DNA sequence: CGTCTCCTTGAGTGTCCTCAACATATGTGG
DNA sequence: CCACATATGTTGAGGACACTCAAGGAGACG
């Protein structure tokens, strides 16, 4: 990783939902205490068990949070995009140990804010805490949903659900741009690349989807697809 | 359910971690706005999709939060005990719809606080928000762990992990008192009662545990048990 | 003591994982 | 820009784990 100590990281702060309600002066103040770090693709930001007391904010790029099972298999927890934050262990756990792994999946720049600074802002601007709370509540809901899916829905239903949540409509064509590799998608959906591949093939044979490129899938009839999965 | 409108629900408030740092007067104030509700065993507190804007605090009894899959199978998300709260959808989601089901699994009494009241307290006593945030962060970690387990660990490992997290040591005997029926344990661990039963039998055959009563299991060697699961 | 629920055990089946080979992308240095 | 090296994706065969369905047993409760 590479450190950059520009005087202003306001850009970093401005696009973050948890801070963007502040005025310029306030943002500037926060930006002062943030430091920017660059990571290259595949670089690890932290590992399970690392002690840490900073909040990470994605400025640019994408980060994958994942966990390892005893047997060494990966479970992708979520993918962070610019504006997302992570490392909330630091925010509130008195003992701040990371409970999973974070990896840059592209060239990524991060802003880091230390707990002691953040604590000040939380006291001074309660709205920040509200927004963090709102974000984490949302994530909790998603996480619980993911648990249910992974545990009781068959793989095909999980894939279809995932597709339906990532559709982009464009001139009477419904298609999906996969936000990650099939390999990572597999670990996200709690399965293997082979199974993902097979299910996609099956859906294609049945005339429900068409694979254009690795990342781009066309959906012929979303309603029919959703019907099939139930 | 049955409503009770005692003048004071301070008892209700006093034992709740998110409020118990307040002084008597403050607690009294909050208690004023809370109302107590009683539920009998198996009664549903709310269902998926219900609109709601109250925070629920368990005063007495136990509540099970669960979710239903398309196919009708249940996934138990968590069990709440006295002092726990739920319904945080109301706290922060502008549109407060419940995303899962809540059922009393014993005679249960609840304190409910309306969003508009709670919002006031959050502003006046920021420490409350901090504690809620802390609690939800903790739950997020647990939920993510549950996702990983359910998705990649085999059932036996999940059971062993669950047992190891509920051990109670007593005079050189290690045993576990199951906090719920095997039926509910099955839905919690993302499996079926039959499979749970089989795994317990298997562990017993291998001399690792001994079932004394339905709810009480003795563990002969915890280290060995944990070793087996990896 | 009978009923009901929960638990247990058995038999059969299906989904998905593993391992392995091959194909296709992606990226790097010559 | 091509050739090679590496990573990612696809397809096949075989097998394991856990689910379903079904019946019998054990507790709990009135």
């Amino acid at each position: 990783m590479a450190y950059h100590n520009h005087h202003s990281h306001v850009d970093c702060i401005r696009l973050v939902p948890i801070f963007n309600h502040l005025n310029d002066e306030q943002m500037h103040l926060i930006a002062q205490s943030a430091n920017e770090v660059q990571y290259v693709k595949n670089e690890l930001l932290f590992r399970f068990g690392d002690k840490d007391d900073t909040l990470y904010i994605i400025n640019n790029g994408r980060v994958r949070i994942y966990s390892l099972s005893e047997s060494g298999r990966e479970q992708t927890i979520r993918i962070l995009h610019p504006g997302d934050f992570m490392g909330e262990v630091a925010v509130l756990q008195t003992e701040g140990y990371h409970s999973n792994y974070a990896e840059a999946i592209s060239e990524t720049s991060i802003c880091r804010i230390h707990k002691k600074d953040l604590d000040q802002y939380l006291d001074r601007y309660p709205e920040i805490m509200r927004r963090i709370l709102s974000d984490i509540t949302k994530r909790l809901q998603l996480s619980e949903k993911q648990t249910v899916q992974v545990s009781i829905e068959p793989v095909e239903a999980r894939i279809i659900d995932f597709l339906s949540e990532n559709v982009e409509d464009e001139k009477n064509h419904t298609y999906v741009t996969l936000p990650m590799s099939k390999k990572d998608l597999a670990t996200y959906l709690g399965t293997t690349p082979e199974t993902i591949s097979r299910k996609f093939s099956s859906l294609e044979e049945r005339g429900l989807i068409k694979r254009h490129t690795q990342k781009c899938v066309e959906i012929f009839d979303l309603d029919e697809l959703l019907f099939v999965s139930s």
Side-chain angles (χ1 to χ4, degrees), chain A:
Chain A
M1 55 186 159
Y3 287 90
H4 287 247
N5 279 307
H6 304 135
H7 284 293
S8 159
H9 308 295
V10 179
D11 303 348
C12 212
I13 302 303
R14 197 185 303 281
L15 50 74
V16 179
I18 60 173
F19 292 131
N20 69 5
H21 60 100
L22 300 169
N23 67 34
D24 271 13
E25 191 187 355
Q26 293 164 339
M27 284 200 209
H28 236 86
L29 181 74
I30 292 179
Q32 294 283 334
S33 67
N35 56 350
E36 196 180 339
V37 191
Q38 301 276 349
Y39 298 89
V40 298
K41 189 174 172 182
N42 295 326
E43 198 171 353
L44 229 52
L45 312 211
F46 54 75
R47 336 175 103 257
F48 173 93
D50 280 359
K51 195 159 167 46
D52 198 350
D53 62 345
T54 54
L55 189 74
Y56 294 67
I57 298 167
I58 316 293
N59 188 21
N60 231 307
R62 296 207 319 269
V63 171
R64 181 172 73 101
I65 307 284
Y66 66 94
S67 192
L68 285 178
S69 75
E70 304 268 342
S71 47
R73 258 177 70 191
E74 286 182 13
Q75 168 74 44
T76 295
I77 310 277
R78 64 192 187 112
I79 306 287
L80 289 95
H81 300 271
D84 291 337
F85 66 89
M86 61 178 174
E88 61 284 345
V89 283
V91 185
L92 272 152
Q93 245 68 346
T94 40
E95 291 290 294
Y97 295 96
H98 286 293
S99 53
N100 30 41
Y101 298 78
E103 170 200 59
I105 52 180
S106 64
E107 187 82 8
T108 297
S109 94
I110 303 278
C111 274
R112 295 179 63 173
I113 298 178
H114 278 277
K115 178 181 169 60
K116 68 177 193 334
D117 295 321
L118 186 68
D119 277 344
Q120 283 179 28
Y121 307 141
L122 292 183
D123 287 341
R124 202 175 316 172
Y125 313 114
E127 178 65 16
I128 297 176
M129 187 145 62
R130 270 203 121 90
R131 288 180 181 224
I132 292 178
L133 183 51
S134 174
D135 185 284
I136 294 196
T137 303
K138 189 87 194 154
R139 275 169 49 199
L140 179 58
Q141 276 191 8
L142 286 175
S143 173
E144 288 177 350
K145 183 183 171 187
Q146 196 186 6
T147 305
V148 174
Q149 289 222 114
V150 157
S151 113
I152 48 191
E153 304 287 5
V155 172
E156 189 175 288
R158 291 179 232 165
I159 292 176
I160 291 176
D161 189 81
F162 182 84
L163 290 177
S164 73
E165 284 183 349
N166 289 280
V167 291
E168 310 151 42
D169 276 319
E170 186 164 304
K171 44 181 157 115
N172 66 38
H173 280 281
T174 306
Y175 68 93
V176 175
T177 306
L178 299 178
M180 51 184 139
S181 68
K182 294 231 175 67
K183 185 167 154 281
D184 287 343
L185 182 59
T187 73
Y188 181 69
L189 297 179
T191 180
T192 60
E194 294 95 323
T195 300
I196 293 276
S197 197
R198 277 184 247 279
K199 295 302 176 189
F200 269 98
S201 300
S202 161
L203 291 171
E204 193 160 12
E205 272 172 29
R206 287 185 274 161
L208 294 162
I209 65 168
K210 170 140 186 59
R211 285 176 282 189
H212 288 284
T213 69
Q214 297 288 3
K215 295 256 190 282
C216 180
V217 179
E218 183 179 354
I219 295 174
F220 292 126
D221 187 343
L222 186 55
D223 292 335
E224 196 184 341
L225 196 61
L226 289 169
F227 177 74
V228 165
S229 83
S230 59

